[in-house]
Amino acid sequence: MPRRHGPALLTALVAGTAALAAIVALAGSLLFSGGGAKQVGTESVARTPAAPAHSTGVWISTWAGAPTAGVADTSTDDDLTQRIIRNVVHTSIGGDAARITLSNLFGTHPLLVDRATVNTRPVSFRGTPSVTIPAGGQIVSDPVVVPVAPDADLVVSLRTPTADGPVTVHPNSHQTSYVADGRGTWRSNLWRYLTAVDVRNEAAAGAIVAIGDSLTAGTGSTLDANSRWPDVLSDRLRGRYAVVNQGIAGNRILRDGQGYGQMYGQRAIARFDRDVLGVADVKTVIIALGINDVQQFPKERDPQRIADALRAMTERAHARGLHVVGATLMPFEGSLAWTPAEDAVRRQVNALIRAGGIFDEVVDFDRVVRDPYRPSRLLPEFDCGDHLHLNDNGYLRLGQQVDLQTLHRNGPASDQL
């Protein structure tokens, strides 16, 4: 059975601040003193495979969380020197070493991270324990030898003692993370600054990246249950591939989020290189996008524009040798945004997808969750209640619908291997 909840996690988090302090005290001047912070320029970091010279494995992303926006951090008091961010993420595959990617993409000031750990193991950046990331930049850490379990919770802790300016986040994570400060420890549904965890793994064939919207991110699923459809797919693959979820709630293909919708992230065609092509050892991409172009204002009325954008992302993936699987758009009658006109656009997009010529393979999400007696609606047993998003049973159905034989040209032969 999948290890979804990580039974030791709560105990580890309660002791987290003390454990981190003990590590710092033990390491002393060896790790966290002297030398100052190293300035890292804004750069595109090559992340595949870039393994250490002594490694016989390859670096593969086991988890990622696409950065969506910069927000004011109101979770803590003014004394940032006492703040520790504990990002809790769920792995897909394991490994014998890890490295992390930190992003200041939406920051307007340099970001100092003077302490970082992966499951309490200290992390360095180009040989130093602290790093300064310029506004708009990112950094990949040095490898840290730490056992990473598959299908398990992992804690990446960061201290940002002089943070000033917007915090680069991924909101609506459906995973409980924590911020500890001088007042105590606080729950959070944001992943802060952390955008990827890679592992050194000799057995997995690479990574499968799911790029999508809230239906991929897991809106409607149970908190901390890891029941999103990419989680279900990962369980089925049993470590043969990593599965990386790059879903952003509210994300669109053709338009960036606006107003509050800035939390919906950059348009998919703009973030595709970073959030798909930039994933370590990516082999296959599953594209599940388009419903927000149909139902969010301003609404896209031309199904051909959506189809052309999907085809353009496929062509960019093909240029990198990737295999592309695309999903049909699911029904949403009964939600606040639904009208017959929007449903007509959705159905036309699906017709173009099913006709071929956009993706290498098609996974028909629409067919498996729609009510056969009213195809513009979700089946009640899969509806989380808002008539747009799914419950855990619905996401289970989607994850089971993906044909493992279509995921890679040389992929696994069956679900039973």
Side-chain angles (χ1 to χ4, degrees):
M1 293 295 291
R3 298 181 303 280
R4 290 215 179 273
H5 297 286
L9 179 61
L10 182 58
T11 301
L13 288 169
V14 170
T17 303
L20 185 59
I23 290 168
V24 174
L26 178 64
S29 60
L30 292 176
L31 288 172
F32 291 128
S33 64
K38 178 172 286 188
Q39 182 79 19
V40 179
T42 303
E43 56 189 271
S44 176
V45 183
R47 301 173 63 230
T48 308
H54 64 274
S55 171
T56 58
V58 66
W59 288 104
I60 306 173
S61 282
T62 185
W63 171 90
T68 66
V71 300
D73 197 341
T74 59
S75 64
T76 187
D77 57 20
D78 292 334
D79 186 4
L80 294 176
T81 63
Q82 299 185 59
R83 183 179 69 170
I84 295 173
I85 297 165
R86 297 191 197 120
N87 292 301
V88 179
V89 304
H90 197 78
T91 63
S92 55
I93 60 169
D96 62 4
R99 65 186 186 188
I100 60 175
T101 301
L102 304 181
S103 174
N104 193 24
L105 178 63
F106 297 103
T108 56
H109 299 82
L111 170 69
L112 170 63
V113 177
D114 73 347
R115 298 175 188 172
T117 64
V118 174
N119 276 359
T120 75
R121 297 283 181 91
V123 176
S124 64
F125 302 87
R126 298 183 181 178
T128 66
S130 63
V131 65
T132 298
I133 309 170
Q138 74 169 22
I139 182 66
V140 179
S141 77
D142 300 332
V144 55
V145 178
V146 57
V148 176
D151 192 18
D153 287 347
L154 185 80
V155 182
V156 178
S157 296
L158 311 170
R159 194 177 83 156
T160 56
T162 59
D164 185 15
V167 178
T168 297
V169 300
H170 179 103
N172 305 313
S173 65
H174 310 290
Q175 187 96 40
T176 303
S177 292
Y178 300 83
V179 177
D181 60 23
R183 300 171 297 169
T185 300
W186 314 91
R187 292 176 178 267
S188 171
N189 71 343
L190 305 175
W191 288 312
R192 291 170 169 82
Y193 302 121
L194 180 70
T195 58
V197 178
D198 305 336
V199 293
R200 193 171 59 199
N201 182 299
E202 299 179 11
I208 296 165
V209 178
I211 182 170
D213 47 43
S214 56
L215 291 158
T216 297
T219 298
S221 65
T222 300
L223 178 68
D224 294 328
N226 301 299
S227 54
R228 315 163 189 88
W229 70 258
D231 297 315
V232 176
L233 176 60
S234 179
D235 291 340
R236 292 177 61 208
L237 287 165
R238 301 177 185 176
R240 288 167 292 173
Y241 287 90
V243 178
V244 174
N245 188 336
Q246 295 285 42
I248 297 176
N251 198 226
R252 300 177 65 156
I253 303 171
L254 296 168
R255 291 179 181 269
D256 294 341
Q258 300 175 357
Y260 175 78
Q262 287 175 354
M263 297 294 283
Y264 300 162
Q266 295 170 307
R267 67 191 75 183
I269 57 173
R271 70 183 183 97
F272 192 81
D273 285 6
R274 180 191 68 226
D275 294 344
V276 174
L277 304 185
V279 168
D281 206 31
V282 56
K283 294 294 195 298
T284 296
V285 55
I286 304 176
I287 302 176
L289 284 159
I291 197 64
N292 288 321
D293 294 82
V294 173
Q295 62 103 18
Q296 285 182 4
F297 289 101
K299 301 181 179 186
E300 179 55 59
R301 304 294 188 183
D302 185 352
Q304 191 64 54
R305 275 176 44 84
I306 296 173
D308 289 346
L310 292 170
R311 185 179 296 106
M313 286 189 283
T314 296
E315 291 169 354
R316 286 156 67 182
H318 283 169
R320 288 283 299 273
L322 305 185
H323 191 59
V324 182
V325 179
T328 52
L329 310 188
M330 290 176 277
F332 63 106
E333 184 183 354
S335 72
L336 294 176
W338 187 89
T339 69
E342 274 83 62
D343 194 57
V345 174
R346 180 189 67 86
R347 288 186 284 105
Q348 291 173 63
V349 171
N350 284 347
L352 292 169
I353 290 173
R354 293 181 179 116
I358 296 178
F359 305 118
D360 299 321
E361 311 284 349
V362 173
V363 54
D364 203 338
F365 283 171
D366 169 55
R367 183 180 61 83
V368 298
V369 299
R370 71 191 183 195
D371 187 334
Y373 299 103
R374 192 163 183 173
S376 57
R377 283 184 180 268
L378 295 171
L379 272 168
E381 65 200 76
F382 297 145
D383 189 345
C384 79
D386 67 4
H387 311 299
L388 173 63
H389 299 102
L390 306 183
N391 55 27
D392 290 349
N393 288 334
Y395 290 123
L396 176 64
R397 187 68 185 91
L398 296 188
Q400 292 172 333
Q401 176 66 15
V402 179
D403 183 350
L404 302 191
Q405 297 184 58
T406 70
L407 291 176
H408 193 247
R409 291 182 179 89
N410 299 311
S414 79
D415 198 18
Q416 302 302 315
L417 292 180

